[in-house]
Amino acid sequence: MNILTVIGARPQFVKACMLSICFQNDPDMNEIVVHTGQHYDANMSDIFFDQLQMQKPHYHLGVGSGTHAEQTGAMLVKIEAILLKEKPDAVLVYGDTNSTLAASLAASKLHIPIIHVEAGLRSFNRRMPEEINRLLTDHLSTLLFCPSQVAADQLAKEGIQKGVYNTGDIMYDAVLHHRYEAIKQSTILLKHGLIPKKYYAATIHRAENTDSPKKLTAIMNAFAQVDLPVILPLHPRTKKMLTELKLAKAKNIHLIDPLHYFDMLSLMSQAKAILTDSGGIQKEAYMLKVPCVTLRDETEWTDTVQTGWNQLVDASAEKDIIEAVKNVTIPTAHPSLFGDGQSAKQMCELIKKHLN
């Protein structure tokens, strides 16, 4: 069976790694990997393949940055050409990026089955590009692998019930597989003079925050007033906006280059708390048992909020951000929300069963 996997952003490389291992160990499966180039910084892209010991992509589209229309359109044209050439049995996509939407549209037009890993997530905010991407992809997909029962229930509410499976979260597979090796290999704490549990790890990349001077200013001002160092690897969009807005950098804020997976996993796992607007990192924080403050009005991972491990805070409310960080605690209970760490194996078996 020929599976064509389309990936383009950091979290997708990590998730794809686990399923690729299953494919490589199965003589009946052949995977063709397409890297769209949506993340083009070396630390956000190429080094992941080396570190995770993934096979190099068969195709690298080199699309890079641009408006949503430019990026999605360029990917759509190039992916369609690859599909016509390779004629895969199915197209496999992850999450909610423009790469995911472009691959899903191209496959649907050519009547190729679509497999969506991380299906059923909803923020219920259609101003988010990611929300549109995941909605459309789910409604085009043949097989939908949900990371939680909440996600599966949401698909049922939308009338999608065929081909839906609660497999657990493949990112949990990756965290369990790589966490201790990451801490062992990474020198990120030593490099920045950090003490475990005596700093905050932060990420800011959502357009709703980076493109709003009010929100980005409030976030940076809040970070400047918390009680511990804030380590902030800079997404290219965030770096650009901080420069344009000439936001002063406080002494406790460490602006650093994007990190490869092992460094990021080590940084997050040893932080006192994680401050982020990333959907994936909220989830990883929960898996690592690290409290999270989410700088958004809503989240796809409502379970993490309900269990007390995640706080939602208005990104434009400087005082509320400071207060949320001050109130960070570690809950006594940590329910198993994302499966048993065997999601990739289950997905591989389901793919074989359905395509047969």
Side-chain angles (χ1 to χ4, degrees), residues 304-330:
T304 63
V305 177
Q306 292 163 2
T307 57
W309 284 86
N310 191 3
Q311 300 179 68
L312 283 180
V313 187
D314 180 356
S316 64
E318 181 180 320
K319 291 182 179 179
D320 290 352
I321 297 171
I322 297 169
E323 193 65 23
V325 175
K326 189 184 298 184
N327 292 332
V328 161
T329 57
I330 298 178

Side-chain angles (χ1 to χ4, degrees), residues 245-262:
L245 294 172
K246 298 180 180 178
L247 287 175
K249 189 185 78 167
K251 289 183 179 179
N252 73 313
I253 301 177
H254 299 250
L255 303 179
I256 63 176
D257 290 334
L259 298 176
H260 58 63
Y261 182 53
F262 277 13

Side-chain angles (χ1 to χ4, degrees), residues 81-98:
I82 294 170
L83 295 179
L84 290 170
K85 176 184 175 183
E86 296 288 352
K87 297 180 174 58
D89 296 297
V91 169
L92 177 61
V93 295
Y94 293 84
D96 55 19
T97 65
N98 288 340

Side-chain angles (χ1 to χ4, degrees), residues 80-117:
E80 181 187 57
I82 294 170
L83 295 179
L84 290 170
K85 176 184 175 183
E86 296 288 352
K87 297 180 174 58
D89 296 297
V91 169
L92 177 61
V93 295
Y94 293 84
D96 55 19
T97 65
N98 288 340
S99 301
T100 295
L101 177 61
S104 300
L105 289 171
S108 67
K109 298 287 186 179
L110 296 172
H111 310 295
I112 300 171
I114 300 162
I115 303 163
H116 188 198
V117 175

